[in-house]
Amino acid sequence: MIQPIARSLKALVEKRSTLEFPESREPLPDNYRGKLRLDMNTCISCSACERICPNKTITMVDVLTEKGKKVMPQIGLERCLFCALCEEVCPPKCLTLTKNYDYEAYDKRELLKRPEELE
Ligand code: SF4
Ligand code: SF4
């Protein structure tokens, strides 16, 4: 009986071993690769990202912009390897990997992101 009480009292004064996620988070390394970001204003619709993607998770889809209809990458994050090859080949550097890892979903179809959702 004494032991559980002693353990509870100890836990009250001890430093916490877990983080209060999502309010506090572990610092990420500089080279951490997370969710992709697309700057739709500078994408030139060249499809280089689609061609280089080793897991074929990029598909060019129609997007209506102020300048008319263009094609831009739609990305299935559930199949992304975070290899950064698409970022490397993108001529205007408008497709970049961020440190954002908040993209969990119950249904993997929610991870299929249209260009507008990558901004
Ligand atoms: S990071 Fe790699 S796997 Fe992910 S979309 Fe880009 S090229 Fe494809
Ligand atoms: S490589 Fe860059 S500029 Fe070319 S389509 Fe992909 S995101 Fe757009």
Side-chain angles (χ1 to χ4, degrees):
M1 185 64 189
I2 296 282
Q3 237 184 9
I5 294 171
R7 216 177 291 144
S8 303
L9 289 173
K10 196 173 160 221
L12 282 174
V13 292
E14 265 180 352
K15 188 175 176 271
R16 287 185 184 168
S17 56
T18 53
L19 289 174
E20 297 273 334
F21 188 85
E23 287 77 24
S24 56
R25 297 161 187 245
E26 286 282 359
L28 295 170
D30 288 344
N31 59 355
Y32 183 86
R33 296 169 180 170
K35 187 179 170 185
L36 286 132
R37 180 180 176 278
L38 172 71
D39 179 357
M40 290 176 63
N41 294 319
T42 51
C43 175
I44 56 171
S45 306
C46 66
S47 303
C49 51
E50 181 187 46
R51 285 193 298 276
I52 197 87
C53 181
N55 226 17
K56 303 288 171 222
T57 193
I58 298 183
T59 315
M60 301 304 284
V61 294
D62 289 341
V63 178
L64 201 58
T65 69
E66 285 170 6
K67 295 172 191 159
K69 204 158 97 176
K70 289 177 76 174
V71 288
M72 290 190 198
Q74 168 180 276
I75 302 179
L77 292 176
E78 83 286 2
R79 281 160 47 90
C80 178
L81 305 168
F82 303 98
C83 63
L85 286 174
C86 54
E87 182 183 71
E88 271 176 39
V89 297
C90 179
K93 300 293 171 211
C94 63
L95 189 57
T96 47
L97 283 104
T98 68
K99 288 194 190 311
N100 181 357
Y101 55 86
D102 286 340
Y103 50 86
E104 65 283 344
Y106 285 109
D107 187 332
K108 69 176 184 181
R109 285 170 294 189
E110 291 170 32
L111 294 173
L112 185 62
K113 302 293 184 190
R114 278 195 49 86
E116 302 88 338
E117 296 173 283
L118 293 167
E119 282 218 287

